[in-house]
Each structure stands twice: as C-alpha cells, then as structure tokens.
C-alpha cells in the first residue's frame, strides 16, 4: 500500500531527529565566539517544526552550568513561537556564560546516545553564521522547499462579499507543510492597503513587511527585497487566505487545516 510522503514525514514529528549540518557553524554572544564547529547537527526535538543547532561540547568556548528545570513538554506541536526552554525529550537544561554575558537555560544536553557529546543551543539567544553568512529566525531545514510558479489562472479574493483582489497574473508559492500562497501584483488589488509596523523574517525568503485592510489588520505581506535564490516574489503582495474567501478559476478554496497550519495560526493570531 502506497504511503503519502507528507503523512510519512508528519509521522516522524513524534520522534527525536537529527541530521549533520555539513557546514561551518558559529554562535556569537556580544561578539564573543561561543561555538565554532564543522561538526554541528540539526536537531528536531519531538513535535518541533523547525530545528536548532547542536554543537560538539568540545567546540564550545563557554561555561555551562545547570539551569532551572525545563518548562515541560508543551503543546501538541512546537511551532517557532514556543520557547527553546520547552523541551520534549529527556535531558539537562544548562546556562551559558561567555564573554561576560549569561544566558540562562540557553543550552540543553539531551539524554540520547546518538547525540552524546553534543549540546543544543537556543537559536534566539545568539547570533549565528553558516560559513561566513548570517542566519536569522532559525536554521534552514534541508527538507523544506519553497517553489514559485507563475500562473494565468484567475485568482479572486473576497471578504464577506467585498472584492480584495482579482488577477490572472498571480505567482503561486508552494512551501513544504504550508498552504499554497497567492502572490499578487499591487495594481490588481482592489482593497485599500495601509502599511503596518509588523515585520517578520523567513530564513528562506527574507524580511516581510505587512499591510492592513479595512477590518483586517496585518492581513497581507510583501518581500520587497527577498533573499538571493528566493522565489520571484519581490514586491508582490500575499494575503492570509485563511481569513478570506479564495477562488481559483471559479473553484472555491477553503483554508488548509493541518497541525502545522493550526499551530502557525495560533502563533500569529490568524
């Protein structure tokens, strides 16, 4: 019997997983090098969507001391908004001291023989480099893809019968475990959009600026200067389709409902 790949991958989320990073990784704290290694692992604790770096203890340039007990194993799915201190595997929480600065609970030594000798580091507690390039938000997942395809199909967005956008010049963005997003030319958006203060960062696409529409705060976003190699979406506008009525060539598309999309909607309040 054939297995759907997305189901197989989702089935692994309940397990502790790792993959060699295969590149030089550095962690810095206030300019002080906390770790410098070519032996880093990407580690996903059970139910974590995004990985963190685990570095060999021998490559750490910091003092590790026991920290307070972890915050427990958290909710059903640990999305990026769930703090590092919430651990879903057995191990010891550690405080990191380096360069005169201290980060309580910013390290974790898992009690797993396959990860022996490695220490997980809280991505948000440090500045990071892969080779000589900065990495933001979280490490890139080697099994995560972002593909973009221009389409001539008619994409129409409405909100309670009010037209938001109508175009045959959309770019569809297909991203692993996430719903298809429709990136639209500004000229074909009927709704009045006003810039908002919200900014988010995607390690695959770059920094997003947000927009609000009447009765819909922070409903849309754009990547004015996407990362090199990112999809060709510069300057296009995407919407939280979950809040709108979407049709493609007249066929109504409902919100995608998966554990990942539910967790992300809970994080961003959409």
């Amino acid at each position: 019997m054939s297995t759907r790949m997305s189901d197989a991958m989702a089935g692994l989320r309940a397990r502790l997983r790792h993959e060699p990073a295969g590149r030089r990784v550095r962690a810095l704290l206030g300019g002080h090098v906390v770790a410098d290694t070519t032996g880093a692992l990407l580690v996903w604790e059970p139910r974590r969507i995004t990985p963190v770096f685990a570095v060999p203890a021998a490559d750490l340039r910091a003092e590790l001391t026991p920290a307070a007990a972890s915050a427990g194993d958290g909710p059903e799915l640990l999305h990026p908004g769930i703090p590092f201190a919430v651990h879903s595997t057995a191990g010891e929480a550690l405080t990191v001291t380096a360069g005169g600065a201290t980060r309580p609970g910013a390290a974790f030594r898992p009690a797993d023989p396959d990860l022996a000798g490695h220490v997980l580091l809280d991505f948000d507690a440090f500045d990071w480099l892969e080779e000589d390039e900065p990495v933001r938000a979280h490490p890139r997942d080697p099994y995560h893809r972002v593909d973009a395809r221009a389409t001539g199909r008619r994409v129409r967005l409405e909100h309670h019968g009010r037209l938001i956008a109508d175009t045959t010049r959309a770019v569809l963005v297909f991203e692993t475990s996430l719903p298809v997003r429709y990136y639209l030319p500004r000229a074909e958006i009927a709704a009045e959009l006003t810039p908002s203060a919200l900014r988010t960062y995607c390690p695959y696409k770059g920094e997003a600026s947000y927009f609000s529409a009447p009765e819909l705060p922070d409903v849309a976003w754009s990547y004015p200067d996407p990362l090199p190699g990112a999809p060709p979406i510069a300057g296009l506008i995407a919407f939280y389709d979950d809040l709108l009525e979407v049709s493609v060539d007249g066929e109504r598309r409902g919100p995608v409902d998966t554990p990942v999309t539910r967790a992300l909607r809970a994080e961003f309040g959409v």
Side-chain angles (χ1 to χ4, degrees):
M1 179 177 291
S2 180
T3 299
R4 183 179 175 181
M5 283 299 299
S6 58
D7 293 339
M9 296 292 283
L12 293 174
R13 287 198 197 107
R15 301 174 60 177
L16 179 64
R17 297 147 285 154
H18 73 274
E19 184 72 29
R23 62 203 71 184
R24 183 187 183 190
V25 171
R26 283 173 283 175
L28 296 90
L29 179 57
H32 179 87
V33 177
V34 173
D36 187 346
T37 183
T38 58
L41 302 176
L42 294 166
V43 175
W44 297 256
E45 289 192 52
R47 307 195 311 281
R48 279 278 180 196
I49 298 175
T50 55
V52 297
F53 286 120
V55 301
D59 292 336
L60 280 170
R61 304 176 186 177
E63 179 185 2
L64 301 180
T65 54
S70 71
D73 64 359
E76 173 190 2
L77 204 65
L78 303 178
H79 56 74
I82 302 296
F84 173 82
V86 177
H87 296 291
S88 55
T89 193
E92 180 187 13
L94 301 165
T95 289
V96 178
T97 302
T102 299
R103 294 292 182 269
F108 183 73
R109 184 181 288 119
D112 183 273
D114 291 327
L115 300 179
H118 282 78
V119 176
L120 279 63
L121 294 178
D122 182 355
F123 193 87
D124 293 338
F126 308 98
D127 296 318
W128 293 89
L129 295 171
E130 287 185 348
E131 298 299 338
D132 293 331
E133 297 187 8
V135 183
R136 293 174 57 187
H138 60 76
R140 296 181 180 94
D141 183 334
Y143 303 105
H144 188 103
R145 285 185 63 96
V146 180
D147 293 311
R149 298 291 183 269
T151 183
R153 292 192 287 167
R154 184 182 183 188
V155 177
R156 185 177 176 89
L157 280 63
E158 296 179 289
H159 181 61
H160 298 321
R162 186 176 74 248
L163 179 65
I164 300 296
D166 192 345
T167 184
T168 57
R169 297 193 296 125
V171 171
L172 308 186
V173 172
F174 304 89
E175 189 164 357
T176 305
S177 300
L178 297 176
V180 178
R181 292 301 188 194
Y182 308 93
Y183 282 74
L184 314 176
R186 287 175 179 257
E188 300 189 17
I189 296 173
E192 180 182 352
L193 299 180
T194 56
S196 72
L198 179 62
R199 299 289 185 272
T200 61
Y201 192 88
C202 168
Y204 310 101
K205 299 188 290 294
E207 185 172 69
S209 302
Y210 281 73
F211 302 87
S212 296
E215 303 176 10
L216 294 166
D218 299 327
V219 71
W221 67 91
S222 179
Y223 291 94
D225 186 23
L227 292 173
I233 54 175
L236 302 181
I237 304 280
F239 289 81
Y240 278 118
D241 309 326
D242 316 73
L243 304 178
L244 306 173
E245 297 85 50
V246 180
S247 64
V248 179
D249 276 349
E251 179 184 349
R252 180 75 174 269
R253 300 291 176 94
V256 176
D257 187 32
T258 69
V260 173
T261 57
R262 286 198 297 273
L264 292 174
R265 282 197 289 270
E267 179 185 0
F268 292 110
V270 300

